Amino acid sequence: MLLTLLLGATACGGDKPSPAKTADPVKAAEPAKPAKPAEPASPAAVDRSKDPAFALKQDGDRYLGPVRDACPDGAHSAPAPKVAPAVADDKLRLELPFGGCPTWQPYSVVVGKGSPLPFYVCVDPEADKCQLAGNKTWLFDIGAALQANSATEVTYSVPAGVH
């Protein structure tokens, strides 16, 4: 009986167990490389020419621009207009550089809160490929923001952190 137990033990584990594979110390110390995030579309890749939300709208010789919550992707805040802004009939009137061949709205306005009502202009440099040789009058309907803030005047103000 003792012989049977010994033979059984030899048959089951008699061979020397193979050493467990150990991790390569160099590879184990290397952190896993994160997957490379997808590159954001460059402003040049943004084509809004067929997007109705960015369609050019005119009233006579003036362009009608949108009021937005923030600058659209690819756009950035523009320097303060050289000609002082004016408010009439709930419209913000701005003289802005214009090249004459925009394919979608190059400008939009973002308003803040307060009186005078703070605002800034966003410009999409890809919208108008022509050399900005002159100015054009742009109107932005800010009536709701004027009323909500009990404001009658505006001031150009780009918040910190906006580019």
Side-chain angles (χ1 to χ4, degrees):
M1 183 149 139
L2 184 58
L3 185 56
T4 308
L5 285 175
L6 287 175
L7 286 174
T10 306
C12 290
D15 291 330
K16 199 183 228 185
S18 61
K21 290 187 177 180
T22 57
D24 184 352
V26 174
K27 287 184 182 175
E30 276 184 33
K33 293 182 181 177
K36 192 173 185 178
E39 294 287 321
S42 71
V46 177
D47 180 4
R48 296 185 170 105
S49 60
K50 293 177 181 48
D51 185 342
F54 289 87
L56 281 168
K57 296 175 182 127
Q58 283 186 270
D59 178 15
D61 63 342
R62 297 174 291 194
Y63 281 93
L64 304 176
V67 178
R68 301 193 188 278
D69 294 333
C71 289
D73 289 339
H76 56 82
S77 63
K82 292 179 181 175
V83 176
V87 177
D89 299 326
D90 290 339
K91 306 267 191 299
L92 174 63
R93 182 180 171 270
L94 298 171
E95 298 293 322
L96 297 169
F98 187 76
C101 63
T103 52
W104 62 84
Q105 293 171 340
Y107 296 107
S108 54
V109 162
V110 178
V111 293
K113 296 188 183 315
S115 182
L117 185 67
F119 79 95
Y120 62 96
V121 176
C122 301
V123 61
D124 183 344
E126 297 301 315
D128 191 347
K129 298 286 190 177
C130 296
Q131 185 175 0
L132 299 176
N135 287 333
K136 206 60 161 159
T137 301
W138 289 79
L139 298 176
F140 301 89
D141 187 353
I142 60 168
L146 289 168
Q147 185 177 7
N149 289 279
S150 300
T152 57
E153 296 180 5
V154 294
T155 184
Y156 193 85
S157 177
V158 180
V162 173
H163 302 287

